[in-house]
Amino acid sequence: MKNIITQFSRIFVGILFIISGLIKLNDPIGFSYKLAEYFSEPVFNMPFFVPFALGIALFLVILEVVLGIMLLIGYKTKFTIWSLLVLIVLFTFLTFYSAYYNVVKDCGCFGDALKLTPWQSFTKDIVLLFFILILFFNKKLVQPLFSNNVQNIIIYTSIILCSFMGVLVLNHLPLIDFRPFKVENNIQKGMRIPDNAPKSVVEMVFIYKVNGVDKEFTEKDLMALPEGATFVDRKDKVIIEGYIPPIHDFTMEKDGSDYKDELLEEPKLVIIVAYDLVNADQSGLAKMEKLNKEAKAKGYKVIGMTASSPEEIEKSKKQFGITFDFYFCDAITLKTIERANPSIVILEKGTIKQKVHHNDLADLKL
């Protein structure tokens, strides 16, 4: 019985680590955004790690896949199970911290393929910890499946293939797009809220200074405010999160007006997405004006979308001879549309028909 439970744990943990790792390896930039969120000031306040978030993300996802394979084939059992235990303890701490303090809404455990709430992520890690502890206390039952030479070949090959996949998706696009802005999705439909969708329950919280200390009061408390209390601020506290459409915070703003309703009705629209013009790939931006002229000659309307300031926009337009207009959108939304900076998106009345990395302009079909 003990052997059956151990082998089940071995297969369950190994496959889950491989699947989770491959999903994140398909989009390591997306996972790096999650790590940067953990490193940010409101969470762990370790901003010095933010510049290394992508490198750390790549290392972790490749390690996740390789450890899963190592467990399945029984390669260096003691090292493998210890590594899995250390990783799952780390992940469990992170997901508990996210859930308890409500700081990171989605841990990114399965990328955009499967969204889990913080408490769901924590529960998943507790289950994994349980099975890894079974493996830890029954290490002798996890025997290798192949000879040392064969196992070495499998592990080294998996490392090389994972590294190749990482380089491939970083220089092109994710192999599978799980985001709401994937090809053939319609942006207008993605923004709609169904009539019967659950609504958010929000409580107004009032902040008053009492004896020099800021204190929070609900509406019910206002009738019994302490004497001398002075109003400081008011904020909305979400008690129950309502329905959030797959696409939200999507704008196409210019000169204080939002043109998304008009632009999303365009039959032939080319959007050049560059969420950060200052840190955008210079060689990529240099190709955009040529693309603009080619697209306009074929009847397309061409615009740029960015979260950069007007000053940065004008500087980039002058530097690269860009003549098309830029519209503002939140940086997080633009990063969700496409990871490359810049990238190209083709729309037909709001439906995404094609997306390409700036390295793959030759594949663009106009």
Side-chain angles (χ1 to χ4, degrees):
M1 189 64 179
K2 183 190 289 188
N3 185 53
I4 292 173
I5 295 173
T6 302
Q7 300 313 317
F8 173 81
S9 303
R10 173 184 186 171
I11 295 169
F12 176 76
V13 172
I15 290 176
L16 200 61
F17 263 74
I18 292 170
I19 292 173
S20 173
L22 285 176
I23 288 173
K24 293 195 287 288
L25 185 56
N26 175 66
D27 182 17
I29 293 179
F31 184 49
S32 74
Y33 294 154
K34 284 297 169 189
L35 291 181
E37 201 173 343
Y38 278 110
F39 296 145
S40 65
E41 187 176 342
V43 186
F44 290 121
N45 194 23
M46 297 188 292
F48 45 88
F49 277 127
V50 172
F52 308 105
L54 181 56
I56 296 171
L58 277 170
F59 172 77
L60 284 176
V61 295
I62 291 174
L63 179 64
E64 211 173 336
V65 175
V66 173
L67 283 176
I69 295 171
M70 289 169 68
L71 180 62
L72 288 179
I73 67 174
Y75 183 81
K76 295 188 183 298
T77 301
K78 188 175 180 181
F79 169 81
T80 299
I81 295 176
W82 263 107
S83 299
L84 288 168
L85 184 60
V86 170
L87 267 184
I88 199 59
V89 168
L90 172 64
F91 291 159
T92 303
F93 167 73
L94 290 177
T95 53
F96 172 76
Y97 191 93
S98 297
Y100 187 79
Y101 291 102
N102 197 29
V103 285
V104 180
K105 304 295 184 183
D106 173 25
C107 71
C109 303
F110 294 98
D112 289 291
L114 177 62
K115 296 287 187 180
L116 298 177
T117 66
W119 284 116
Q120 286 173 339
S121 298
F122 174 67
T123 303
K124 180 263 299 177
D125 286 340
I126 289 293
V127 172
L128 272 173
L129 178 60
F130 171 76
F131 285 110
I132 290 173
L133 285 173
I134 290 175
L135 294 168
F136 182 79
F137 291 115
N138 297 281
K139 288 191 285 285
K140 292 181 180 179
L141 296 177
V142 182
Q143 297 297 318
L145 298 182
F146 310 103
S147 66
N148 283 339
N149 287 337
V150 172
Q151 300 222 108
N152 284 332
I153 291 172
I154 292 173
I155 296 306
Y156 294 144
T157 301
S158 66
I159 293 172
I160 292 170
L161 289 176
C162 286
S163 301
F164 174 77
M165 181 177 170
V167 172
L168 181 69
V169 296
L170 285 178
N171 288 283
H172 301 280
L173 296 182
L175 301 177
I176 303 174
D177 192 351
F178 295 106
R179 289 160 292 169
F181 293 94
K182 66 183 179 182
V183 173
E184 294 304 332
N185 275 13
N186 181 272
I187 294 176
Q188 294 97 315
K189 287 182 181 178
M191 291 190 292
R192 286 179 195 149
I193 299 176
D195 294 335
N196 59 348
K199 305 225 179 334
S200 296
V201 177
V202 180
E203 179 184 60
M204 287 190 293
V205 177
F206 299 86
I207 302 172
Y208 280 80
K209 191 176 289 293
V210 181
N211 297 326
V213 179
D214 288 350
K215 293 189 175 182
E216 294 185 353
F217 299 88
T218 64
E219 284 185 279
K220 296 177 181 178
D221 299 327
L222 294 181
M223 299 300 293
L225 281 175
E227 188 176 344
T230 56
F231 177 77
V232 176
D233 196 6
R234 196 214 88 183
K235 63 182 180 180
D236 293 332
K237 183 177 181 181
V238 179
I239 307 300
I240 299 174
E241 189 81 72
Y243 175 81
I244 299 175
I247 297 176
H248 52 277
D249 298 330
F250 181 85
T251 62
M252 292 172 140
E253 295 180 5
K254 188 174 182 293
D255 301 326
S257 298
D258 193 348
Y259 293 90
K260 68 173 176 289
D261 292 335
E262 172 188 333
L263 290 170
L264 291 178
E265 287 301 321
E266 287 284 342
K268 300 174 77 174
L269 181 66
V270 173
I271 301 177
I272 295 165
V273 179
Y275 56 84
D276 182 352
L277 289 168
V278 173
N279 294 308
D281 186 279
Q282 301 292 289
S283 63
L285 284 179
K287 304 170 189 174
M288 294 303 106
E289 182 57 26
K290 182 182 177 184
L291 170 63
N292 174 37
K293 291 176 180 176
E294 291 175 355
K296 283 183 175 177
K298 294 184 179 182
Y300 284 85
K301 181 178 181 63
V302 181
I303 66 168
M305 289 185 68
T306 186
S308 297
S309 68
E311 294 75 22
E312 291 164 347
I313 290 173
E314 287 307 312
K315 183 178 178 181
S316 293
K317 290 179 77 169
K318 186 176 180 180
Q319 180 180 354
F320 298 103
I322 293 171
T323 58
F324 54 84
D325 292 329
F326 277 91
Y327 292 76
F328 177 85
C329 185
D330 181 74
I332 294 175
T333 302
L334 293 178
K335 289 176 181 179
T336 305
I337 294 173
E338 198 44 79
R339 305 306 192 196
N341 186 26
S343 59
I344 299 89
V345 180
I346 308 296
L347 292 186
E348 182 183 304
K349 293 191 174 183
T351 298
I352 299 169
K353 306 306 290 185
Q354 194 179 2
K355 296 166 72 175
V356 299
H357 191 286
H358 62 79
N359 286 334
D360 301 317
L361 281 178
D363 297 334
L364 193 65
K365 298 172 184 175
L366 296 174

